Amino acid sequence: MIVLDKVNKFYGDYHALVDITERVEKNEVLVVCGPSGSGKSTLIRTLNRLEEIDSGRIEIDGRDIHAKGGDVNALRAGIGFVFQSFNLFPHLTVLENCTLAPVKLGRASKAEAREHAMQLLERVGLAHKVDAYPNALSGGQQQRVAIARALAMRPPIMLFDEPTSALDPEMVGEVLQVMRGLAGEGMTMVCVTHEMGFARDVADRIWFMAEGKILEKATPQEFFANPRHPRAQQFLADRRRD
Amino acid sequence: MLELIDTYWLYFLVGQYPQGPLGGLALTILLSGAALVLAMPLGLALGIARVSPYRAISLPVAGVVQVVRAVPLLLVLFWVYFFLPALTGVKTSQAATMLIVLVVFDSVYLAEIVAAGMRALPKGQLESARSLGLGYGAALRHVVLPQTLRHGLPSIVNQLVSTIKATSLGYIIGLSEVSFIASQINTLVFTQAVEVYLILALTYFILCFGLSRLAFLLERRLQRRTLQAS
């Protein structure tokens, strides 16, 4: 479903993504992990073109994401993206956050968008907060609204960029639970996360990244029981010590 | 003082109208209002252009902003009044001159307020709007600008208040706005300068303070909306 072919990305002289060639299959849950600065956030942001790439090709469902003159808006509408810092729209209510894009992009009438948003908010456990403004919500609640907002576009793919890293520990669980639910329904997901418990339980595959390269690709069983690359061994050892 | 008001109130309000052109307080309010109405959309457009990712758009706007900001309003008033007719071959009236100058100045200052607000907004706001599939224009309209304008409201009001006061510079080119009329009255009465100019000061105060209060109420209403707990 997602195909990366020799993707390279530079920040000045710094080689942020090095010749990445990979695939993600439909209905797959992929977890990308690695130390900070390893390029995992950059990688996931290139998938919906929040970051440009310098060479190579990224295809999603056969469509070239970085094509010159391509309709990037139409492509993005089919890719849900969840940010570390939630990025809810503070001037809109929870419900309006979820209906803005579907209505303005003509995907649904106001009434349809509203009904769909209510279902999604129900599903993330926030039906009672529809008329609240984001400032009145906890971090965990905001992130669940952000997931509902992304789902409101009915995307076949969801990308999560460290969705729990900005949360207090006691709120991590409620967000992961929503993500587990999505995975259980067969959503194609790419998750950059440090939550190794989530990776172990939910991921179909794990990519371990460092220095802009994917150093190891494995199933969670292989990765946690028997990491092959020394950097991955080090990374997991550090995690266990925490 | 009551006698003064009793005699000259109509002159103070509308100048020589209907025997002559509209003047006085009416002209001041009309000019300020027209300047604001024209400068707001222009300032918005210039502000958006100022932070455009395309340098071909942002650089010329930056140039205009820097030049206008560095020149006194009075000087531009002279320029427009004396040079513009030479260029166009048509005599520009005092009121039109004043309006042009006010619109140029206001739109530039408003552009800076808009641009500053857009730069100050967290990058994630535009990014998350774009990630949902909204285009740049739609993201600005529905996500970035509503927040920018709300945060910038105090600065915008400041600019609008300045505009009302700046109309008094029209005096220098013989525009019969309220300050000009007040000095006319002073010349006629001759002995009551303190009273005449006190009334003038009070008039400006009421206009400007009223506008600030209005903006304050608007701001508080917007704030209450976003901060309310569910």
Side-chain angles (χ1 to χ4, degrees):
Chain A
M1 189 164 208
I2 306 176
V3 180
L4 297 110
D5 185 21
K6 292 203 180 72
V7 172
N8 280 283
K9 163 90 188 166
F10 292 86
Y11 291 114
D13 287 338
Y14 180 69
H15 205 163
L17 296 177
V18 184
D19 259 339
I20 296 203
T21 301
E22 271 306 330
R23 309 175 56 89
V24 182
E25 303 303 332
K26 192 164 171 18
N27 302 66
E28 187 177 21
V29 177
L30 172 74
V31 163
V32 184
C33 63
S36 61
S38 57
K40 34 187 211 311
S41 274
T42 305
L43 178 68
I44 199 170
R45 287 165 58 87
T46 61
L47 297 183
N48 75 342
R49 207 169 167 178
L50 284 177
E51 298 285 346
E52 297 292 331
I53 58 176
D54 292 299
S55 68
R57 192 177 165 86
I58 298 177
E59 275 181 19
I60 294 186
D61 268 345
R63 290 186 297 183
D64 182 353
I65 295 291
H66 290 262
K68 287 266 180 295
D71 186 355
V72 69
N73 298 328
L75 293 170
R76 280 181 180 144
I79 307 170
F81 198 99
V82 176
F83 296 83
Q84 180 177 346
S85 48
F86 331 135
N87 295 338
L88 292 182
F89 307 133
H91 61 301
L92 301 178
T93 64
V94 163
L95 188 69
E96 289 164 346
N97 263 276
C98 297
T99 55
L100 177 72
V103 171
K104 296 302 170 195
L105 293 172
R107 297 298 178 94
S109 71
K110 266 195 176 145
E112 289 162 0
R114 201 186 142 84
E115 193 179 333
H116 186 216
M118 289 296 287
Q119 287 167 12
L120 292 169
L121 289 167
E122 182 100 38
R123 180 164 150 193
V124 300
L126 288 171
H128 58 299
K129 293 287 188 186
V130 287
D131 293 322
Y133 284 88
N135 290 344
L137 304 183
S138 73
Q141 290 173 329
Q142 289 193 43
Q143 193 61 298
R144 286 187 278 152
V145 173
I147 294 172
R149 177 178 69 177
L151 291 172
M153 291 299 293
R154 305 178 193 271
I157 300 173
M158 287 285 286
L159 308 177
F160 295 84
D161 186 8
E162 304 206 25
T164 57
S165 299
L167 295 176
D168 290 336
E170 73 267 25
M171 293 173 184
V172 169
E174 63 194 60
V175 171
L176 291 181
Q177 198 193 340
V178 171
M179 291 170 64
R180 281 170 205 265
L182 280 176
E185 288 165 27
M187 175 67 79
T188 306
M189 293 164 64
V190 178
C191 316
V192 171
T193 182
H194 295 294
E195 295 297 329
M196 290 300 117
F198 175 81
R200 188 194 298 266
D201 299 346
V202 181
D204 297 306
R205 276 196 306 156
I206 294 180
W207 292 354
F208 174 77
M209 282 187 78
E211 288 156 11
K213 298 180 198 121
I214 298 172
L215 296 183
E216 184 151 348
K217 301 168 271 182
T219 64
Q221 293 81 359
E222 290 166 353
F223 183 73
F224 288 106
N226 199 7
R228 290 184 304 265
H229 198 281
R231 290 293 299 267
Q233 291 165 4
Q234 182 65 45
F235 178 78
L236 285 172
D238 289 347
R239 293 273 129 193
R240 286 196 191 102
R241 213 172 299 132
D242 290 341
Chain B
M1 187 142 148
L2 280 176
E3 196 197 325
L4 185 71
I5 294 173
D6 199 41
T7 320
Y8 291 107
W9 66 273
L10 190 61
Y11 187 46
F12 188 78
L13 284 186
V14 297
Q16 290 173 324
Y17 191 80
Q19 278 78 41
L22 184 70
L25 185 58
L27 181 62
T28 294
I29 292 174
L30 217 60
L31 263 179
S32 316
L36 302 182
V37 168
L38 293 174
M40 275 304 270
L42 209 58
L44 207 58
L46 285 174
I48 292 167
R50 180 104 159 91
V51 294
S52 165
Y54 303 106
R55 287 166 72 85
I57 299 175
S58 67
L59 277 183
V61 175
V64 170
V65 167
Q66 296 298 350
V67 168
V68 172
R69 263 204 318 204
V71 176
L73 203 156
L74 193 60
L75 186 61
V76 179
L77 196 59
F78 285 145
W79 276 355
V80 174
Y81 194 53
F82 296 114
F83 293 165
L84 199 61
L87 280 178
T88 59
V90 185
K91 187 176 177 330
T92 323
S93 74
Q94 284 114 330
T97 304
M98 195 66 223
L99 187 60
I100 291 169
V101 173
L102 286 176
V103 168
V104 168
F105 264 76
D106 265 359
S107 48
V108 160
Y109 281 97
L110 289 172
E112 278 301 272
I113 295 168
V114 170
M118 287 176 72
R119 288 196 201 98
L121 201 68
K123 224 177 90 196
Q125 288 292 314
L126 183 60
E127 276 187 351
S128 63
R130 298 301 307 272
S131 80
L132 290 166
L134 294 172
Y136 186 68
L140 286 191
R141 183 162 152 225
H142 300 296
V143 174
V144 174
L145 289 179
Q147 297 183 61
T148 303
L149 294 181
R150 190 174 302 183
H151 295 154
L153 194 60
S155 311
I156 292 171
V157 172
N158 206 17
Q159 189 51 39
L160 305 189
V161 166
S162 290
T163 306
I164 295 177
K165 293 187 291 183
T167 54
S168 66
L169 287 171
Y171 179 98
I172 228 85
I173 54 169
L175 177 71
S176 59
E177 45 69 55
V178 73
S179 298
F180 183 88
I181 296 293
S183 14
Q184 294 289 305
I185 294 172
N186 183 44
T187 319
L188 294 171
V189 184
F190 198 63
T191 52
Q192 287 183 290
V194 174
E195 285 89 338
V196 168
Y197 288 115
L198 199 67
I199 290 171
L200 181 62
L202 210 65
T203 305
Y204 278 114
F205 177 78
I206 290 168
L207 281 182
C208 297
F209 184 70
L211 186 62
S212 316
R213 288 301 300 175
L214 212 67
F216 173 77
L217 291 176
L218 176 67
E219 196 185 350
R220 220 177 42 179
R221 230 187 64 189
L222 291 172
Q223 218 164 43
R224 217 176 12 229
R225 251 193 57 181
T226 1
L227 290 180
Q228 81 189 168
S230 63

